Amino acid sequence: MNNIVIVDDHPIVIEGLSTLLQANEALQVVATFTAGQAFLSFLPGAGFIDIVLLDITLPDISGVEVCKQIKKTSPETKVLIISNHNERSIILQMLQQGASGYLLKNASSEELVRCVHDVLDGKVAFSAEVMAIMTRPLQNEPKATPHLTKREKQVLSMIAAGRTSASIAEELCVSQFTVETHRRNLMQKFEAGNTAALIRMAAEQQLL
Amino acid sequence: MNNIVIVDDHPIVIEGLSTLLQANEALQVVATFTAGQAFLSFLPGAGFIDIVLLDITLPDISGVEVCKQIKKTSPETKVLIISNHNERSIILQMLQQGASGYLLKNASSEELVRCVHDVLDGKVAFSAEVMAIMTRPLQNEPKATPHLTKREKQVLSMIAAGRTSASIAEELCVSQFTVETHRRNLMQKFEAGNTAALIRMAAEQQLL
DNA sequence: CAAAATATACTGGAAAACCAGTAGAAAAGA
DNA sequence: TCTTTTCTACTGGTTTTCCAGTATATTTTG
């Protein structure tokens, strides 16, 4: 009997997952959470958990962080990501944090159950669509979400709000040259040729 | 006994919704679809449908269009939107197309059932979070997603891809002045002061 | 404490965007 | 067929971004 925990901010999704999995005698949903922190508080006192079905977008902390903490606290617990994010960079980031599987929320019931079993069997599992994303040729994609410093995030946010470099400099009490250097660094990190591409990519990676 | 149809691109969500609603004796899920066109083909030959639970993001056509067609074909059929989109402009657009209710996918089971009943009773129903969005003071929000011409959409997409006006002009076989005029019109429609704000807003409204 | 990372700031210049206006042709709609 | 909308293109100019480099100070990390 495999113990399953579900962490997703959508109660309807939790309901759907529970219903699908409970139909399988070998699987038992032992707890569900709609927030990451509540789950992390639950984790140390929990019995053994075979697998966690984990969303990335949670209301309090990121699924990335939750995955990291799961792997730190219970290395044998498998993590299967179920998300709406279909960017290769995010998929790779989750795998790097120790997730054993990834599927999109539009996956079929059969795919879900297959992935759960594959992950429990010690394999890495993807739904068909994620497999297609992972295998298509790389084309102008950043390899991963770039690491941004605190100041860079601040400047990026203000750029996206439509502010000019002069206006940002005034508010942050720095020189316009400083802001221009931050912009340049941001463009290099995202491999963007201009501000439009920068903002689009940042939006795609949920950084705004 | 109320007949319900569910249209959502996520099978897991369909499963969750079905499970929650079937527990209510007055409600019966008579059909489910993961694509808009399949549902629209089904609609004319269907018996009476009291309410359709409809997502906005579908793989083939937009939930906006589906809603419009439902209201044209079966004006008495109620539409309750269940979506991840929390922008006021999108909510208003759905209401304008005849939807009677709107809730986000993070709504609780109780809220879902309450909204279904309220809509069946002839009321307009929102989940608490949507209600909060609808009642908060307007702040720098475009009133609705602006109407874009075919050419404007094309230019917007190319701007977002990082192209310069000169490069766009070359590919579209028009003058750079023409592209600049399109940019200006786009900025006016979105009430954006520069390209960064334009692209951010377009991304927010799922236009990219 | 040293190394690395981050933040800051400047030069000199070119490229691109933004501005506010004007105006005609073509396509679409009533 | 007329009106409206969309697309096209230009003027003359200012503002802003982008470029490639250099360099120092501060903070963080090992």
Side-chain angles (χ1 to χ4, degrees), chain A residues 19-206:
Chain A
T19 301
L20 287 168
L21 297 170
Q22 304 279 42
N24 193 305
E25 289 180 5
L27 307 173
Q28 174 155 12
V29 178
V30 300
T32 67
F33 299 88
T34 55
Q37 201 55 57
F39 167 65
L40 290 179
S41 300
F42 159 88
L43 192 53
F48 185 70
I49 300 169
D50 293 282
I51 187 171
V52 178
L53 307 192
L54 177 63
D55 196 355
I56 296 178
T57 307
L58 296 170
D60 48 359
I61 62 181
S62 165
V64 181
E65 184 58 32
V66 175
C67 185
K68 191 182 293 183
Q69 293 297 326
I70 293 172
K71 284 317 211 182
K72 182 185 278 185
T73 307
S74 308
E76 304 82 23
T77 296
K78 311 286 189 181
V79 178
L80 174 60
I81 304 296
I82 303 180
S83 171
N84 278 323
H85 292 293
N86 62 0
E87 301 88 3
R88 186 206 298 253
S89 56
I90 294 180
I91 298 170
L92 287 169
Q93 189 179 6
M94 294 316 310
L95 296 176
Q96 191 168 19
Q97 294 301 341
S100 304
Y102 198 113
L103 48 77
L104 298 173
K105 285 188 172 178
N106 63 359
S108 68
S109 309
E110 293 74 23
E111 272 189 315
L112 166 71
V113 175
R114 174 182 64 77
C115 285
V116 170
H117 282 297
D118 281 352
V119 166
L120 287 172
D121 281 346
K123 298 168 188 168
V124 169
F126 301 126
S127 61
E129 193 173 336
V130 173
M131 184 67 77
I133 292 166
M134 296 305 288
T135 54
R136 76 171 175 233
L138 277 154
Q139 265 177 336
N140 296 331
E141 291 182 29
K143 289 181 176 37
T145 298
H147 169 69
L148 302 184
T149 68
K150 181 179 171 185
R151 203 56 148 176
E152 283 170 343
K153 287 173 181 170
Q154 203 171 11
V155 168
L156 177 63
S157 176
M158 296 176 82
I159 293 171
R163 309 286 293 273
T164 62
S165 294
S167 162
I168 295 171
E170 188 172 13
E171 177 163 337
L172 299 185
C173 300
V174 295
S175 161
Q176 179 169 344
F177 300 127
T178 299
V179 177
E180 288 289 338
T181 301
H182 286 309
R183 295 181 82 110
R184 192 186 341 165
N185 291 339
L186 283 164
M187 291 195 7
Q188 281 169 356
K189 288 187 174 182
F190 281 88
E191 294 174 33
N194 61 16
T195 298
L198 172 67
I199 298 304
R200 195 207 76 243
M201 293 181 200
E204 278 172 359
Q205 305 198 22
Q206 316 281 325

Side-chain angles (χ1 to χ4, degrees), chain B residues 87-89 133 136-144 190-191:
Chain B
E87 301 89 3
R88 187 206 297 253
S89 56
I133 291 167
R136 78 172 173 232
L138 277 153
Q139 267 176 334
N140 296 330
E141 291 182 29
K143 289 183 175 37
F190 282 87
E191 294 175 34

